[in-house]
């Protein structure tokens, strides 16, 4: 799962049962302050997860993407460049629908 916010990019590698194998973020990899939200930080996150997966013998992955940041696409490209077969990509970003109806105006 790749989560890309306006401040950071985080990635989690899980097995088929949903147990976390490894996770990382741009901040963990040494990017600080505004550099965490850049495409270079996201690419480094993707390379780290991809290399770990390849070393553990994982070749095919499903990717869930969440968030509105700039790091989604570079992270996915880095995963593909590490030799992983991406079977499909699901975007699970929550979309606002203006919420509940507002209460009526009070009449006195």
């Amino acid at each position: 799962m790749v989560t890309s916010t306006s401040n950071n990019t985080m990635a989690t590698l899980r097995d088929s049962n949903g147990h976390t194998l490894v996770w990382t973020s741009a901040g963990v990899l040494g990017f600080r302050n505004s550099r965490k939200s850049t495409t270079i930080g996201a690419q480094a996150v993707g390379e780290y997860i991809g290399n770990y997966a390849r070393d553990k013998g994982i070749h095919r992955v499903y990717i869930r993407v969440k968030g509105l940041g700039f790091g989604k696409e570079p992270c996915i490209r880095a995963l593909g460049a590490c030799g992983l077969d991406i079977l499909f990509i699901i975007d699970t970003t929550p979309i606002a629908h203006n919420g509940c109806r507002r209460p009526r105006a009070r009449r006195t």
Side-chain angles (χ1 to χ4, degrees):
M1 178 173 187
V2 176
T3 304
S4 179
T5 64
S6 59
N7 293 323
N8 204 353
T9 301
M10 297 157 279
T12 305
L13 181 66
R14 300 178 187 167
D15 62 5
S16 59
N17 295 326
H19 297 89
T20 300
L21 301 176
V22 66
W23 70 272
T24 190
S25 68
V28 170
L29 295 179
F31 292 91
R32 293 290 173 216
N33 300 329
S34 62
R35 292 187 64 214
K36 291 190 296 185
S37 62
T38 61
T39 58
I40 298 168
Q43 184 177 356
V45 168
E47 289 174 358
Y48 182 87
I49 293 291
N51 290 332
Y52 182 87
R54 193 180 57 215
D55 292 343
K56 293 296 179 181
I58 300 170
H59 301 290
R60 290 180 286 172
V61 293
Y62 302 116
I63 298 178
R64 284 183 23 199
V65 181
K66 184 177 182 181
L68 298 173
F70 296 112
K72 295 186 288 189
E73 189 175 334
C75 189
I76 293 170
R77 288 183 188 211
L79 288 170
C82 288
L84 297 177
D85 293 331
I86 299 172
L87 299 178
F88 59 83
I89 301 169
I90 301 172
D91 191 358
T92 59
T93 303
I95 298 171
H97 58 86
N98 292 337
C100 301
R101 183 176 174 180
R102 295 185 62 192
R104 65 173 179 84
R106 186 172 170 214
R107 291 183 292 195
T108 55

